[in-house]
Structures are given as C-alpha cells and as structure tokens.
Amino acid sequence: MKNKKFLFPLITFIISFGCALFISLKVFPNNPFTGNKQEKIITSKYKDGDVIFQTSESKQCEAVRIATNSKFSHCGIIYDINGKWFVFEAVQPVKLTPLEDWIKHGKDSKYVVKRLKNDSVLKPEVLQKMKDYSQQFDGKEYDAYFEWTDNRIYCSELVWKIYKNAAGIELSKLRELKEFNLTDPRVQKILKERYGNDIPLEEKVVAPSDLSDSNLLKTVIDTY
C-alpha cells in the first residue's frame, strides 16, 4: 500500500515536469539543453578551405577594384580552428581573424563565399597540410608592392599559394601587372606612390577577381 501511496505523486511530478520542460523549450528555443539552433544553421554554411571575398574601402582597395573591374578587393581562406571559424588573411600582418570580425570589416558587412566544385579533394589530411603550410606566413608583413615572393605577401597571393603549394590546385592562371586596367587616374596615383616611374609591368600577380572568377569554384553564399 505504501508503494501505491507514493506512486501517484511520483507519476504526477514526472508528468508536470515533462509539460514544463516542453513549454520551456518552445518558449526559449536557445535553452542550453537544445543549443543555439540559429547558430548551427549559420555555421553549417561554411566549410574548411572555403574562399571568402569582400569589398574594402581604402584608397588602395578602390584602385584594386578599378584595375581588376571587380567589386572584390580582399579575400582569405576560411579555417575551422578547434570548432571556431576564422579567416586566414594577408593584412598587416598576416593573421587569423575571427570570421564574424572579418565580415564586419567589409563594406556594409557584405561578402561572398566560394568553394571548390569538387570539394571532395579537400580531405582532412589535405586541409591539415594547407593549415600547416599556412603557418609559415603567419605574422609576415603585408606586401603593398605585389611582388611574387614569400618575403611579404598580399591577400590573393596568400590564397593562391596555399591552394597551389599545399593542395596541388591552381585556382587561376597568373597574370602580369600590365594586363590590368592601369589607365584610371586613381590607379595611376597609387602606382606612382608605390613605384615612382619604375612600375614593374611584367611582375606576376593574382587578383581577388582572378580567384572569384575561377572555373574551379562555385558560389555558396552571396550577401551582396
């Protein structure tokens, strides 16, 4: 009889607790028990090794956009580091930047993410090789002269070299500086400031636009 006496209150408590839990999950969807569902949806859009592009607003970036006839003036590689998203980018200095911060640095926080059409080649061991290779550039100075050396490095050069030298994938052909639109006065001004009268027109270069136009990549996110 004693067991039956305590059984009814126990059943009542379990039912009441279950109802309360159900209501709390409906009212508070970000409850720690369920996690932040919205965040999971957002982060699932990205993959290790994605290439991300944005529009920057400095005078140099304006010149890059004009010279390349593109809205993009900056890019980087998205890396998953211990479960958090970062962009490995060539600024001053080359560094890992939290993805959310990187997005905010672009004009109107707009960006485009591109991914290899055949991203199955980016197996875990390949991605690790890319990250290991990337470490040699971490902390290096930004290359405002766009030289094709590893002494200093600029954004699209960084992405191109990581894919080429660590994954064996050439995202685009290299071009010479003279192949870009250098006639605009705003471009001429930057060139004059950088090189004086000795512009290295035959220097091998790769622009963010070259990467964004790569036929090996597909667009997976576009917030423009």
Side-chain angles (χ1 to χ4, degrees), residues 130-223:
M130 292 169 68
K131 292 175 182 178
D132 292 342
Y133 178 81
S134 297
Q135 290 183 24
Q136 67 180 292
F137 298 110
D138 189 34
K140 284 202 171 185
E141 291 186 5
Y142 176 78
D143 185 4
Y145 295 90
F146 306 115
E147 298 172 335
W148 197 253
T149 71
D150 290 348
N151 298 328
R152 295 173 298 190
I153 198 158
Y154 56 92
C155 66
S156 42
E157 177 190 14
L158 180 72
V159 174
W160 193 96
K161 286 183 174 179
I162 291 171
Y163 263 90
K164 173 65 174 178
N165 298 327
I169 299 170
E170 189 172 296
L171 291 178
S172 67
K173 296 296 182 183
L174 298 180
R175 295 202 277 168
E176 293 183 348
L177 184 59
K178 64 185 178 184
E179 296 179 51
F180 295 94
N181 174 22
L182 307 180
T183 59
D184 188 282
R186 289 163 291 183
V187 178
Q188 288 284 327
K189 184 175 184 296
I190 294 295
L191 290 175
K192 184 73 173 178
E193 291 174 356
R194 292 286 188 274
Y195 308 109
N197 295 321
D198 191 19
I199 301 173
L201 295 174
E202 296 183 355
E203 184 75 36
K204 295 295 184 183
V205 292
V206 60
S209 59
D210 295 324
L211 301 181
S212 68
D213 292 340
S214 172
N215 58 15
L216 299 182
L217 299 177
K218 62 182 179 182
T219 300
V220 291
I221 303 175
D222 186 344
T223 67

